Amino acid sequence: MACFALVGYVIAVMGPKTLWNHDVWWQSILVWLLGAVIAHDLVLFPFYALIDRTLTSGWRAIRGRRPNPRPMVSPVNYIRIPMLGSGLLLLLFFPGIFEQGKTTYLAATGQTQQPFLTRWLLLTAVMFGVSAFTYALACGRAHWHPPLTADPDPVPGQDCESAPEPPA
């Protein structure tokens, strides 16, 4: 609701005419906003939902085949989070990573876009490395400190309150 209120406020202050470019229609803010909504809802969301479903069902398939499963830590979130971070960085810096608008960027900053791809790959590797390290720590903790098991069921019909007291 706060986002809708903010967008309404911005439109009220700037005016609806600022959302439309009369000279070049495809450079209008409204066209890009609708394109982003359509691209996300019809293309990207089904794609990463499929990837997430594949990860979770693959983990269940691997885990179900183990004859005596020890306490295991699911790797799904340890893969999901760095993939999300890497994808968001790619989305944000796509023009720089794939060197779109070289001349404009060079004229504006005096620098090239050459390091963008290397930096994105390095950040992606670091995110997956940190995730792998924390997954290894979680697996080690699960291996060396298995979860406590509950006490066996009490004798049927006997509550904790009605249990006989031990002899003094």
Side-chain angles (χ1 to χ4, degrees), residues 38-137:
I38 290 169
H40 176 266
D41 292 350
L42 296 179
V43 178
L44 292 177
F45 180 74
F47 178 69
Y48 57 73
L50 178 67
I51 290 173
D52 187 59
R53 182 65 55 104
T54 304
L55 277 174
T56 54
S57 63
W59 174 247
R60 274 192 230 116
I62 290 171
R63 188 173 168 205
R65 291 184 189 153
R66 297 184 68 107
N68 186 9
R70 290 191 45 107
M72 297 180 68
V73 178
S74 173
V76 172
N77 285 334
Y78 295 94
I79 296 170
R80 183 185 289 161
I81 291 175
M83 280 181 67
L84 177 65
S86 178
L88 286 175
L89 284 174
L90 178 65
L91 185 64
L92 285 173
F93 297 107
F94 180 82
I97 291 171
F98 292 103
E99 298 184 10
Q100 302 293 312
K102 289 183 196 179
T103 55
T104 306
Y105 187 80
L106 182 62
T109 64
Q111 300 175 356
T112 66
Q113 294 175 320
Q114 190 271 333
F116 277 74
L117 177 62
T118 307
R119 290 176 184 166
W120 175 70
L121 290 172
L122 182 63
L123 279 171
T124 299
V126 167
M127 284 189 285
F128 275 97
V130 168
S131 184
F133 179 72
T134 56
Y135 178 67
L137 287 177

